[in-house]
Amino acid sequence: MNQPSRKKRERRNAGWVWLFFLCLLLPLHLWFPELGTGAMDDSYSSSASGKKAFYLLLETETFGAERNRVPLNVLIQSLDYDETLCLLGPARYPSPLEWASLLAWVEEGGRLVIAANHEHPEFEIVPLDIRVSYLDETERENIPRAKSEKMNEARLSFSQNEVHGLLESQATTVFSDAPSIIWETNAQVESPTGETLISAGETKQAVKLRHGIGEIVVAASSELFSNQSMVDGGSVPAYRLIEAAGAADYVVVDEALNASGTSKVVALLIDPTFRPLTIQLLITLLIFGWWRSTRFGPILSSHILPRHNIVSHTDNVGNLHYKKGNGRFLLYAYVKQLFTQLHLRNFRGEEHRVIDPIARRMKKDPQQIKSFLKQAAKHTKSEKIDRHQMGDLIRQLSEIRQAAQPGHSKD
């Protein structure tokens, strides 16, 4: 059995490579890796630091939960006073103008929960005299440590070595069903008034304040709402912290601050809004590349051109000269080739040494053949020769050519 050629084997292997990459792209509709410069800990993220699990919990436990992606000033105009707005570890904190809109909405009865982002937890609400700041060295040492599991000891020791790294502390709460929890923090809430909901040692970690007829809950860390915290049993205290602002019937989780607080130079095409379109474009480009680089099916017979031989070439040249109607060029080429073959230039003045043997074989007068050759050479210099005349001259020249070969004679 004949083995396939190397080129065919390479073509077959290349087809498997294209199919492999196509199979990698198709599952991206269901699962997409965390890439880009956007926030990796928002409510869309399934990573350990993301908050997707908590958002799904809100959808289950409340009458309604939704994400917001419009600017806060626009959102406030559509929020009802029985809804709870959650800012859970935003990539940026509200601007002074946005704070003014938020506080005005809370004063009229709205409920706000804001948890600091551990990467930059410092922010301040000036009208309420409340701020979140980093723990100093003394406060970090006095916070009671949580008994971490062995699998978390390496991460804990690494965090403790950082100046503002997260600490796993044993915190106390006012919630009856979760009086003690593991609280990861690197900051504290400073507020002369307000009710302390969660504390770690002597530091306040979550505080509730009343503003007008609304409520505001400020937390020093958003790690309690992460997917990892939901796995470790933090779902109950996280939900109770949302309830502390009021009955959590309708909850809005803000993503506008995450979207506007992160660079979109690279992450725009893999943003959740445009991600399906990006995947479809990649699949289309992949299929187009596969189609252009691989031959599907047998080669079309119409694309195989027959190989031309010398006879076909001669026929084509003759047809071109026939259509042109001028045989001078063909006659010139034939006379030149014949004179070269007879070596007439080498016998100038003694042409009879070449012509006499030819005349003897043709049984003609040598002077007659010499006159005919002169006439044929003269015709090659004329502007145009009729093709019939050219045919007669070449026919007679061919007889001379045959007679010039030894062993040929005209019978």
Side-chain angles (χ1 to χ4, degrees), residues 164-185:
H164 297 303
L166 288 173
L167 295 175
E168 283 189 351
S169 63
Q170 193 70 37
T172 58
T173 73
V174 298
F175 311 130
S176 59
D177 50 357
S180 178
I181 62 173
I182 295 177
W183 180 266
E184 296 186 52
T185 184

Side-chain angles (χ1 to χ4, degrees), residues 70 97 104 108 170 176 194 201 203 208-209 222 271 366 394 407:
V70 301
L97 181 60
E108 295 295 328
Q170 193 70 37
S176 59
T203 64
K208 179 175 74 172
L209 295 90
S222 62
D271 185 89
I394 290 180

Side-chain angles (χ1 to χ4, degrees), residues 80-317:
D80 294 331
Y81 297 112
D82 60 343
E83 294 182 335
T84 302
L85 175 61
C86 298
L87 311 179
L88 306 179
R92 72 169 181 87
Y93 297 108
S95 64
L97 181 60
E98 291 170 333
W99 271 125
S101 301
L102 287 171
L103 294 178
W105 170 70
V106 173
E107 189 175 12
E108 295 295 328
R111 298 187 287 269
L112 174 66
V113 177
I114 177 170
N117 189 322
H118 71 274
E119 294 183 356
H120 48 93
E122 294 183 311
F123 71 92
E124 184 177 6
I125 308 177
V126 177
L128 302 182
D129 192 20
I130 184 171
R131 62 192 297 265
V132 176
S133 61
Y134 279 113
L135 295 169
D136 59 29
E137 185 176 353
T138 303
E139 291 166 341
R140 289 177 66 88
E141 292 178 354
N142 295 333
I143 285 182
R145 300 293 193 272
K147 296 181 180 180
S148 303
E149 298 180 1
K150 292 183 179 180
M151 63 181 298
N152 293 327
E153 288 180 356
R155 183 171 62 85
L156 178 60
S157 61
F158 176 76
S159 298
Q160 289 175 341
N161 292 332
E162 297 178 354
V163 177
H164 297 303
L166 288 173
L167 295 175
E168 283 189 351
S169 63
Q170 193 70 37
T172 58
T173 73
V174 298
F175 311 130
S176 59
D177 50 357
S180 178
I181 62 173
I182 295 177
W183 180 266
E184 296 186 52
T185 184
N186 61 352
Q188 64 175 334
V189 181
E190 298 179 12
S191 175
T193 61
E195 178 187 356
T196 302
L197 301 178
I198 300 176
S199 61
E202 296 181 357
T203 64
K204 299 178 182 180
Q205 295 298 318
V207 174
K208 179 175 74 172
L209 295 90
R210 189 168 187 83
H211 182 60
I213 59 176
E215 301 282 351
I216 297 179
V217 173
V218 180
S221 174
S222 62
E223 291 299 304
L224 185 64
F225 306 98
S226 66
N227 295 327
Q228 185 64 50
S229 176
M230 298 296 104
V231 175
D232 296 338
S235 58
V236 173
Y239 186 75
R240 293 289 180 261
L241 198 59
I242 301 299
E243 280 188 328
D249 296 332
Y250 300 95
V251 180
V252 178
V253 178
D254 179 70
E255 294 295 343
L257 296 178
N258 287 325
S260 59
T262 55
S263 173
K264 291 297 181 181
V265 175
V266 179
L268 182 61
L269 290 179
I270 58 177
D271 185 89
T273 305
F274 299 100
R275 187 177 298 167
L277 177 61
T278 302
I279 297 174
Q280 294 296 329
L281 288 176
L282 289 175
I283 292 176
T284 302
L285 291 175
L286 183 66
I287 294 177
F288 178 78
W290 189 3
W291 170 56
R292 297 300 298 177
S293 64
T294 305
R295 175 174 59 83
F296 293 90
I299 300 177
L300 298 178
S301 59
S302 59
H303 293 172
I304 303 176
L305 298 176
R307 186 173 181 179
H308 296 282
N309 54 22
I310 189 63
V311 176
S312 176
H313 174 73
T314 305
D315 291 341
N316 291 332
V317 173

Side-chain angles (χ1 to χ4, degrees), residues 337-355:
Q337 178 64 25
L338 179 60
F339 284 10
T340 302
Q341 183 178 353
L342 297 179
H343 304 287
L344 291 178
R345 289 186 177 181
N346 299 332
F347 294 93
R348 287 186 178 181
E350 297 182 357
E351 290 86 354
H352 63 89
R353 297 177 57 184
V354 177
I355 297 176

Side-chain angles (χ1 to χ4, degrees), residues 313-334 384-388 390 394:
H313 174 73
T314 305
D315 291 341
N316 291 332
V317 173
N319 289 332
L320 290 176
H321 283 285
Y322 177 82
K323 293 178 180 179
K324 191 175 181 180
N326 187 1
R328 184 177 70 87
F329 297 102
L330 285 178
L331 179 62
Y332 173 79
Y334 197 93
K384 187 174 182 180
I385 302 176
D386 182 75
R387 58 175 176 265
H388 297 290
M390 180 269 298
I394 290 180

